[in-house]
Amino acid sequence: MTSIKGHIVNVVRHEIFDGELVIEGEKIVEVKHCDLPEREKPWPYIMPGFIDGHVHIESSMMVPHKFAHIAVSHGTIGVIADPHEIGNVLGIEGVDYMIRSGKEARFNFLFGAPSCVPAVGGDIETCGAVIDAKATETLMAREDIGFLGEMMNYPGVLAGDKEVMAKIEAALRHDKPVDGHAPGVVGHQRDQYAGAGVTTDHECSTLEEGRACIRAGMKVIIREGSAAKDYQLLSPLINESPNMVMLCTDDCHPDDFVRGHINLIVKRALADGFELWDVLKAACVNAQKHYKQRWGLLQEGDPATFITVDNLTPHFRVESTWIRGAEVFNYNSSLPLKHEDVDEHILDYDFPNNFVAAPITAADISLELKPGDTAHIIHASDGSLLTAHDAVEITGNPLFDSQYPWTEVQKIVVYNRYVPGAKPVVGLVRGFEIKEGAMAGSVAHDCHNIVAIGSNDEYIVKAINRIVEMQGGQVVVSADEMKDIPLPIAGLMAPMGGHEIAFRTLCIQDMVKEIGCKMKSPFITMAFMALPVIPDIKITDRHLMDTKKMEVIY
């Protein structure tokens, strides 16, 4: 039996009192009031842990049990994880890999069934697997699958597409929530989307969208990730509708993740003056209720899962994290996170992958541009997944003609990793401002083909061929240097620890800056240049797409 004293933060009754938790095994058996004796060090505040309401663990480049090791250091006790990325590479095999890895850690993972594998399908792009309605029905029946992942095919929902609706109906039959993804959808269409059974959305980027979502009965998951940041515009919803808001990071790059997680959003909300109880509802409570999980709210009979912090100001520090009766993080010491009954590192040499691409040459990425042609240019912006569509009549070659006003326009290449002999698709992009070199990666949402951007063909080919050689990863090349990080697990993740991955990521990002790109998260931004479900213009391994109209440009 274990006893822990401190200022207990009861989120159910909205009260803070001096008390004691009595823990037996994995459960809290008693929560009692008591006087706290004077001592030199202040007593901690004991409170429920934070939950990421929507995350793709693969974006951290860490396998789940390594992800958990970093998460608990920030006071995160659980995540609602959509294995959509690895699902598009390996299908159900990838989902199973994530679940197996998660079981190595004492942590709360709720994995969902990816709803869009492939993300769009048809002739738009190529992915490595298909999870159809029949497979979704099988997944929904499993106890280790807790929800249907984000339904990005909102046009299919609005059109009543038979396959799409069958997936949603499978989730509803098994009484499991359906996550949403419908950027820009308001009015009648938002009501229709919600009426189909979709219950959340993390893609709201304006207050109008967020309020429309809530009016339709859907919960808004406020996202503050590495590339997409919506807290600033959506934060008023925290006190307007505290029961309808959750927090998430969605896609969090490793160098950001090691610095902080949901705790950073909580600190920001407290600094902005939001009511403590409203913030804790969004950060700790609402996800547990929505996804029907009992991970711990400091009530008698709850799992002994909680965190201790030194204060409740915007400057709080997580001092310890407890999960099911075991202390898994303490800021003063190093603690094991793995389950006692799991052999250490059983997955560290299990590298499932799906990668058959062969090296390319400069001839494979040639692009004819001549005066009189219309150039369709992807205009990327730092901190946003949205892109502008610049359609301009060519008066010179924007890649080589120094007299052309947009000398920052560069080639972007997407190369199919799944089909032998596939031909790369080449487009134009602006906003990355690479001066001398190239960057490439096998993280390219959502099908994860190879994507590259560079200042000339030689650099682009060199970068792509290094990705092929590593069978997945990220790389930066310049005239006299190359830096990379191999991602042998589905071309998305590395078997290394989180801090090592973050360090290597910082090294290649520093080199990206050296070759001219000043974006905060250049690799994540580049990865979303290939996602055709977000407007206005994107490039896939098959086409340059007007993603606002969902029409092929070429």
Side-chain angles (χ1 to χ4, degrees), residues 64-72 103-107 321 323 327-329 335-340:
H65 66 282
K66 301 288 178 70
F67 175 96
H69 186 79
I70 303 299
V72 296
K103 287 178 179 177
E104 284 204 52
R106 186 180 285 267
F107 190 73
T321 301
I323 293 183
E327 188 177 23
V328 296
F329 168 76
L335 298 169
L337 185 63
K338 74 180 186 69
H339 276 304
E340 292 78 3

Side-chain angles (χ1 to χ4, degrees), residues 4-11 15-21 36 39 41-50 75 270 276-277 280 298 305-322 331:
I4 299 176
K5 292 182 179 180
H7 311 294
I8 296 176
V9 181
N10 190 321
V11 293
E15 62 178 350
I16 301 172
F17 59 89
D18 295 345
E20 180 180 9
L21 296 182
L36 299 176
R39 68 176 192 176
K41 180 184 177 182
W43 289 95
Y45 288 82
I46 306 170
M47 59 185 283
F50 306 129
L270 293 175
L276 172 69
W277 303 115
L280 294 186
L298 290 182
T305 298
F306 54 88
I307 64 175
T308 66
V309 299
D310 58 343
N311 61 68
L312 295 178
T313 74
H315 310 291
F316 71 83
R317 176 179 62 188
V318 176
E319 295 186 334
S320 68
T321 301
W322 292 68
Y331 76 109

Side-chain angles (χ1 to χ4, degrees), residues 29-297:
V29 296
E30 189 176 6
V31 181
K32 56 186 181 182
H33 290 70
C34 71
D35 293 328
L36 299 176
E38 292 289 334
R39 68 176 192 176
E40 185 175 344
K41 180 184 177 182
W43 289 95
Y45 288 82
I46 306 170
M47 59 185 283
F50 306 129
I51 298 168
D52 192 322
H54 174 79
V55 66
H56 303 289
I57 293 170
E58 303 95 313
S59 293
S60 73
M61 301 183 193
M62 304 170 198
V63 293
H65 66 282
K66 301 288 178 70
F67 175 96
H69 186 79
I70 303 299
V72 296
S73 71
H74 303 312
T76 301
I77 57 90
V79 296
I80 310 302
D82 183 350
H84 172 90
E85 314 303 343
I86 197 169
N88 269 279
V89 177
L90 291 164
I92 293 177
E93 177 191 351
V95 176
D96 289 340
Y97 175 86
M98 300 297 279
I99 293 172
R100 291 199 312 275
S101 175
K103 287 178 179 177
E104 284 204 52
R106 186 180 285 267
F107 190 73
N108 295 300
F109 289 103
L110 183 69
F111 285 102
S115 68
C116 296
V117 178
V120 178
D123 186 46
I124 294 175
E125 58 183 343
T126 307
C127 74
V130 174
I131 299 179
D132 59 14
K134 183 178 180 181
T136 300
E137 176 72 44
T138 301
L139 287 169
M140 286 294 102
R142 289 171 42 168
E143 291 185 3
D144 56 1
I145 297 293
F147 63 99
L148 182 64
E150 56 180 305
M151 180 47 75
M152 297 189 302
N153 190 359
Y154 64 88
V157 176
L158 298 178
D161 180 88
K162 184 178 178 181
E163 179 79 4
V164 168
M165 299 310 294
K167 293 178 180 180
I168 294 174
E169 289 161 7
L172 299 179
R173 273 195 302 276
H174 292 279
D175 193 30
K176 295 180 178 178
V178 178
D179 278 359
H181 171 120
V185 176
V186 294
H188 171 69
Q189 288 189 326
R190 173 62 67 175
D191 293 335
Q192 185 182 348
Y193 189 63
V198 184
T199 56
T200 70
D201 202 337
H202 61 279
E203 287 291 339
C204 299
S205 57
T206 69
L207 196 54
E208 178 192 5
E209 282 183 65
R211 286 171 175 159
C213 196
I214 289 171
R215 283 195 301 269
M218 299 173 66
K219 293 182 174 67
V220 174
I221 312 179
I222 298 176
R223 170 177 57 190
E224 195 71 4
S226 290
K229 299 178 182 295
D230 303 314
Y231 168 86
Q232 187 65 42
L233 290 174
L234 296 179
S235 58
L237 299 175
I238 293 173
N239 62 13
E240 288 182 15
S241 305
N243 295 321
M244 300 295 287
V245 173
M246 294 179 266
L247 306 177
C248 81
T249 58
D250 193 6
D251 293 289
C252 193
H253 211 247
D255 55 307
D256 290 325
F257 183 44
V258 296
R259 293 187 179 103
H261 195 211
I262 301 300
N263 59 319
L264 297 184
I265 311 177
V266 171
K267 289 181 178 185
R268 189 171 174 185
L270 293 175
D272 287 344
F274 290 107
E275 171 68 34
L276 172 69
W277 303 115
D278 291 344
V279 175
L280 294 186
K281 275 186 179 180
C284 313
V285 179
N286 292 342
Q288 293 194 50
K289 291 184 175 180
H290 181 79
Y291 292 97
K292 305 179 179 69
Q293 300 302 302
R294 194 178 181 187
W295 287 346
L297 294 175

Side-chain angles (χ1 to χ4, degrees), residues 376-394:
H376 297 272
I377 300 169
I378 303 169
H379 192 163
S381 301
D382 197 10
S384 176
L385 307 186
L386 303 174
T387 53
H389 182 174
D390 295 339
V392 177
E393 184 177 341
I394 295 292

Side-chain angles (χ1 to χ4, degrees), residues 336-349:
L337 185 63
K338 74 180 186 69
H339 276 304
E340 292 78 3
D341 57 348
V342 175
D343 291 334
E344 193 167 10
H345 306 313
I346 64 170
L347 292 176
D348 282 0
Y349 299 100

